[in-house]
Amino acid sequence: MMSQRRGIHVDQSELLCTKGCGFYGNNAWQGLCSKCWREENQREKQKQIQEDWALAEKLQREEEEAYASRQQKTPSQSTITPFSKFEERKTKEKSSKVHTVTKFFTPSTKTPPKKDTSFDSHSSPSASSSASRHISADNDQATREFIDFLKPLKSGREIFKQCRAFTESMVYKRDMGADELSECVQDFYQNLSDRLHTQFKGSSDHVESVMDEVEKYMMTRLYKEVFCPETTDDEKKDLATQKRIRALHWVTIEMLCVPVDEEIPEVSDSVVKAITDVIEMDSKRVPKDKLACITRCSKHIFNAIKVSKKEAASADDFLPTLIYIVLKANPPRLQSNIQYITRFCNPSRLMTGEDGYYFTNLCCAVAFIEKLDGQSLNLSTEEFDLYMSGQASPNWPQPAGASSSSAGSAALGQVHKRLDLLTGLGERQERVMEKARQLESDLIDWTDEVEQKVQSVLESFPAEPPNPTPPAAGGAAAASSSSSSAIDSDNVENELLPPPLQPQVFAG
């Protein structure tokens, strides 16, 4: 029974950052939140830089010693040059990130005043830019909406210039790795957010609204360059996940212990809406809009559970149902969308709030699907392997003694019951038609038999000719008597009548 089976359970603490900071973690960040991940990443980079320096110095010393032993003289300037170039490159590499980000927030005295008119005239980037010649209608609309939003702000002009300059610079970094692109965008978000917090004196709501519009403008323009870049294996992961979900098409509601009754029309409608929302995520270009699809999907799931159980849904009810929805939907480019949100969404949105909670659950659901095995579905290893190979299906007839956990889902069970009923009705209809045809044949034979018997009787008893009328005796009297008798012959009460009068002849 359902109550006796082990369901899918994830402790809510497992959704939080492993560092214990209280924010939501993410599988893509090894269980850390974006803040802790960035700090950890920076430490790793600094450690790597130090190791590179140590290795370079060691190699340089070995080279100098080897050269000295061979030449027996002081190393020339040409020997030191390679290390000097290496040192210069490392120094430049360490400071490049700071220069790349901070230059967008430093007012330039070389900017001609006439370029500021682009903000008031709703113009897109300079016509001399090669990227501006290929801006799509969506980019133009995003630019106009961003400008309209920034106009009431005192620093709106400067924010727009910085975002535009950064976006244009990112177009030429498409050959960079996805992590480097993400780091550039996240650094820009962080620096701009810090500046806005100072400007708005800690008004978090106002800062978040501005950052939402910044994200919308930038990511609409950068979508083609940063979504599923060629430098990553996102597409390969998409295909693997899609193939995995297709192979799990046989998984039923009972196996996942999903507390949803799709026989209820409202529940069925909520399930369809949830599937539609998670599929629609791929059509959005802004990380915030993709998260909104996940949030709507999750709310439809909670509604389906609430209607089915007639009580509020719990976290233990939500995650198995979300897994079931993902299996039924098989969303396109699921891994690419998750990675895109992780890399380029405003980090504060993923760390807290309902968007961050639902996104973290989606990541857990995908991770569960990738590692799903027979034990997760309360199946034996043999059953799981048979279902995955396609040699058997839980919807097929089960042998005696088979586990009840491998029965079909409620919806599929109803379909099979109705198919069996239709098959039985078809057989009964065929029998009725056969009996009707037999009855028709019997009626024809009976009619022929009756006709033959009637004809035989008629032939056995020929019709007799009518008797001749005897001659009248007594002339008129006999005729009158015969006429009277004929008239009164049909009178059933003629015994009570007096005898008829006889004509008498009176003598002259």
Side-chain angles (χ1 to χ4, degrees):
M1 296 182 59
M2 183 75 70
S3 60
Q4 298 174 341
R5 300 173 63 194
R6 180 181 61 84
I8 299 169
H9 172 74
V10 175
D11 196 319
Q12 292 301 293
S13 61
E14 298 178 22
L15 302 179
L16 300 177
C17 176
T18 55
K19 288 285 187 180
C21 63
F23 296 123
Y24 292 121
N26 193 291
N27 291 333
W29 297 325
Q30 300 177 3
L32 302 174
C33 67
S34 61
K35 180 180 178 181
C36 295
W37 168 253
R38 285 167 59 80
E39 293 174 354
E40 188 72 20
N41 199 26
Q42 290 296 335
R43 282 194 292 268
E44 291 292 333
K45 285 189 175 182
Q46 290 297 329
K47 181 179 178 181
Q48 185 64 41
I49 290 174
Q50 293 175 0
E51 292 177 354
D52 290 344
W53 274 89
L55 178 61
E57 291 175 353
K58 179 181 178 181
L59 294 175
Q60 179 64 26
R61 285 195 301 268
E62 293 176 354
E63 183 179 354
E64 290 177 355
E65 292 173 358
Y67 186 81
S69 63
R70 291 194 306 268
Q71 302 295 332
Q72 295 296 323
K73 63 180 181 179
T74 305
S76 62
Q77 182 66 26
S78 61
T79 305
I80 304 176
T81 300
F83 181 76
S84 301
K85 290 184 178 181
F86 179 82
E87 181 180 2
E88 180 182 355
R89 182 173 61 84
K90 283 294 181 181
T91 304
K92 184 177 180 181
E93 182 179 341
K94 291 173 66 178
S95 61
S96 61
K97 184 183 70 172
V98 178
H99 292 161
T100 301
V101 176
T102 56
K103 69 180 181 179
F104 295 110
F105 299 92
T106 305
S108 175
T109 57
K110 298 181 181 180
T111 304
K114 63 181 181 179
K115 287 189 178 181
D116 293 342
T117 58
S118 62
F119 181 81
D120 297 324
S121 61
H122 290 216
S123 65
S124 55
S126 164
S128 61
S129 172
S130 60
S132 66
R133 294 192 294 268
H134 303 285
I135 295 178
S136 65
D138 290 341
N139 293 352
D140 291 336
Q141 182 179 358
T143 302
R144 288 192 297 269
E145 292 176 355
F146 189 46
I147 292 174
D148 292 340
F149 174 81
L150 292 176
K151 271 190 173 182
L153 301 181
K154 183 177 179 180
S155 59
R157 186 189 306 274
E158 189 65 26
I159 294 174
F160 176 75
K161 289 170 60 179
Q162 293 163 3
C163 293
R164 183 182 66 179
F166 178 78
T167 303
E168 290 179 351
S169 70
M170 287 291 292
V171 173
Y172 300 100
K173 298 179 181 180
R174 65 185 64 186
D175 294 333
M176 293 177 60
D179 292 338
E180 287 78 7
L181 292 174
S182 173
E183 186 175 355
C184 290
V185 173
Q186 295 297 334
D187 285 341
F188 183 84
Y189 284 159
Q190 186 63 48
N191 284 275
L192 180 58
S193 177
D194 293 343
R195 185 182 178 201
L196 291 176
H197 274 290
T198 302
Q199 177 182 345
F200 297 126
K201 299 179 180 179
S203 179
S204 299
D205 293 341
H206 202 171
V207 172
E208 286 301 317
S209 64
V210 175
M211 292 303 300
D212 287 344
E213 293 298 324
V214 169
E215 176 191 302
K216 178 180 178 181
Y217 166 73
M218 289 175 48
M219 301 318 300
T220 300
R221 293 169 58 89
L222 294 175
Y223 180 78
K224 292 182 178 180
E225 282 73 24
V226 300
F227 183 85
C228 191
E230 296 180 357
T231 56
T232 67
D233 59 349
D234 292 351
E235 185 176 0
K236 182 179 179 181
K237 291 180 179 178
D238 288 334
L239 296 175
T241 301
Q242 207 165 44
K243 182 179 179 181
R244 173 73 171 174
I245 293 177
R246 282 199 298 266
L248 294 168
H249 65 90
W250 48 268
V251 176
T252 64
I253 284 182
E254 288 80 7
M255 294 177 183
L256 294 171
C257 299
V258 175
V260 168
D261 184 4
E262 291 189 85
E263 291 296 313
I264 303 175
E266 184 178 353
V267 173
S268 178
D269 185 58
S270 294
V271 169
V272 171
K273 289 180 179 178
I275 293 173
T276 302
D277 285 329
V278 75
I279 292 175
E280 187 182 1
M281 174 178 61
D282 186 59
S283 66
K284 304 299 181 182
R285 305 181 69 177
V286 182
K288 177 187 174 183
D289 295 339
K290 292 181 181 292
L291 284 175
C293 291
I294 299 174
T295 300
R296 288 196 303 271
C297 168
S298 302
K299 290 183 176 179
H300 287 311
I301 290 174
F302 274 109
N303 182 67
I305 298 173
K306 181 179 179 181
V307 174
S308 298
K309 296 183 63 178
K310 296 184 173 52
E311 63 181 14
S314 66
D316 290 340
D317 296 330
F318 171 68
L319 184 58
T321 311
L322 178 60
I323 294 171
Y324 175 68
I325 293 297
V326 172
L327 289 175
K328 290 195 69 174
N330 198 357
R333 301 193 294 183
L334 180 57
Q335 293 285 3
S336 291
N337 280 288
I338 290 177
Q339 292 297 330
Y340 176 72
I341 294 172
T342 302
R343 293 165 183 158
F344 302 107
C345 183
N346 184 357
S348 62
R349 188 174 296 279
L350 297 182
M351 293 163 60
T352 58
E354 64 178 5
D355 285 349
Y357 174 76
Y358 295 138
F359 178 71
T360 303
N361 274 275
L362 177 63
C363 295
C364 289
V366 175
F368 177 86
I369 291 172
E370 292 175 342
K371 300 177 181 179
L372 186 142
D373 56 11
Q375 185 179 3
S376 305
L377 300 175
N378 300 290
L379 296 173
S380 65
T381 304
E382 293 76 12
E383 286 179 311
F384 182 81
D385 293 340
L386 285 174
Y387 296 157
M388 288 297 291
S389 63
Q391 298 178 19
S393 171
N395 303 319
W396 297 350
Q398 298 294 316
S403 173
S404 61
S405 63
S406 61
S409 66
L412 290 174
Q414 289 292 332
V415 171
H416 285 288
K417 288 180 182 178
R418 289 166 185 169
L419 287 175
D420 293 340
L421 179 61
L422 287 174
T423 302
L425 289 175
E427 294 174 355
R428 291 174 59 188
Q429 178 70 14
E430 185 62 30
R431 288 196 297 268
V432 169
M433 293 300 297
E434 183 179 356
K435 294 292 184 181
R437 288 191 292 268
Q438 182 64 39
L439 178 60
E440 182 181 10
S441 176
D442 292 344
L443 285 174
I444 294 174
D445 295 341
W446 179 79
T447 303
D448 293 341
E449 184 180 356
V450 170
E451 289 181 353
Q452 291 176 1
K453 288 183 177 181
V454 170
Q455 186 65 27
S456 175
V457 169
L458 291 176
E459 292 176 354
S460 300
F461 301 95
E464 297 181 357
N467 295 328
T469 303
S480 176
S481 176
S482 176
S483 175
S484 175
S485 176
I487 292 174
D488 296 335
S489 63
D490 294 331
N491 193 342
V492 296
E493 298 179 353
N494 54 4
E495 295 99 353
L496 303 179
L497 293 176
L501 296 176
Q502 297 294 329
Q504 296 180 3
V505 179
F506 292 94

